[in-house]
Amino acid sequence: MNSFINDEKILSIIENTKFSESKAEEIIQKALALKGLGLEEAAMLLSCPDDEYLDKIFAAAGKVKSLIYGRRLVFFAPLYISSFCVNNCLYCGFRRDNKDIARRRLSIAEVLKEVNLLESFGHKRLLVVAAEDKDINADYLSEVISAIYAAKNGRGEIRRVNINCAPLDLQGFKKLKKCGIGTYQLFQETYHNNTYNKMHPCGPKSDFMKRLYAMDTAQEAGIDDVGIGALFGLYDFRFEVLSLLEHCRYLEDKFGAGPHTISVPRIEPALNSLVSDNPPYAVSDIDFKKIIAVLRLAVPYTGLILSTREKSSLRNELLYLGISQVSAGSRTNPGGYSSSGDGQFCLGDNRTLKEVVMDAAEAGFIASFCTACYRNKRTGADFMKLAKPGHIQEFCLSNAILTLKEYLLDYTDNGQNKASALLDAEAANIKDGNMRKITLGRLKRLERGERDLYF
Ligand code: SAM
Ligand code: SF4
């Protein structure tokens, strides 16, 4: 099988790109027209030196973000279910040879204890995360997912479960699809084959090609929302960004839609990791901003996910550059919401969900707990067909407003605060008169006790 990542082609684009302001100007204009960018164009913006011109790229990314996502910011939390791992990824605290970590695999009862807490914080969207544990198979994952959907805690409930776990076979993915997963997420870590081989010396994950084509299997099983990502710090960030764009293009050509999301994890220190204290290609904050801005310009309709690996001050800045989904109040050890333990890596942002929601509002962003697209079967190519001409944006804003209202009613003292003030202002400003009227009506119904109203 031939890889759709052509190292030589990508490296030669990087090598032959010389930054030119006039060319960058044309590229920015194309991006502002929401046309996305090709590899050469993205490479040109990535080659921008750290001077004033970079601010123009950041401003354009902010504009594209606001054109497509408005002030919405989707929230979720990870739920780790196992830290037993058969692989030995050099950067990870869960790697097989780390003998100093206390490992845990959650039973269904233990999963439910965690879900109960996450619901009591107000989360509606979870990302189930598992190390590559030989005792966790598709049947167990299906049991976990079904149990999560069935678990209610007062008004709390989880309405969308995404998953990040080792690739399954076709039958395994079909089982996940059947029990209603949202996105299947898997990071290639690095798209550079030689670096990949060094970082993944043994275990099933050492098969670069199998990982590269895992999304094809997921798609063939009917999972049409997939999430890709690269672990920044393992290899040249420009190579990883261009490869992510190649992966998007490949999926779009083959399945009619690119990935639903791209994640941008950056290596954090991890217990007994062999590379995380001193990553081979450490990415500076300014380059990290560049990565996010260029991805936003290159694939405007793809969600960009930022985790609590990053510290809060930087997270706040990155919201303006293109991030559309964030995790909040996260723990990276199985059982971490109800007890302490060894996490997969160190966290940079330890704020609670409520603190992140309020800080986002302070910065002008509406927390959204919306799960409507997936529940209305607006996924994969169907989602893109609506998203690209801008048809679902009015729905999205109203859904964000309604889910934030639920959150404020059920998980805060519901007094006046930054988030409620922002919500009222956004609701009053919904452009379409009919949508505005219906949304305002639904806000009243939520106040009277109804829940889960969405478009
Ligand atoms: N074990 C599965 C796998 O490797 O695909 C599931 C995901 S793993 C628990 C979640 C992700 O954490 C990995 O894909 C990797 O990108 C990221 N990760 C591992 N070590 C990390 C570190 N030291 N800092 C930041 N992210 C890390
Ligand atoms: Fe295991 Fe995933 Fe960590 Fe690799 S990144 S050691 S597969 S948990």
Side-chain angles (χ1 to χ4, degrees), residues 307-326:
S307 76
T308 53
R309 288 172 180 86
E310 302 301 332
K311 55 186 187 306
S312 57
S313 51
L314 182 63
R315 292 223 306 162
N316 285 341
E317 282 186 62
L318 298 171
L319 300 184
Y320 294 99
L321 297 182
I323 292 299
S324 56
Q325 292 193 24
V326 290

Side-chain angles (χ1 to χ4, degrees), residues 429-447:
N429 278 331
I430 294 175
K431 281 198 206 90
D432 181 280
N434 197 32
M435 269 308 268
R436 185 170 61 245
K437 196 168 151 216
I438 302 173
T439 306
L440 291 171
R442 290 190 179 188
L443 285 172
K444 290 265 172 285
R445 284 165 61 192
L446 290 174
E447 278 170 8

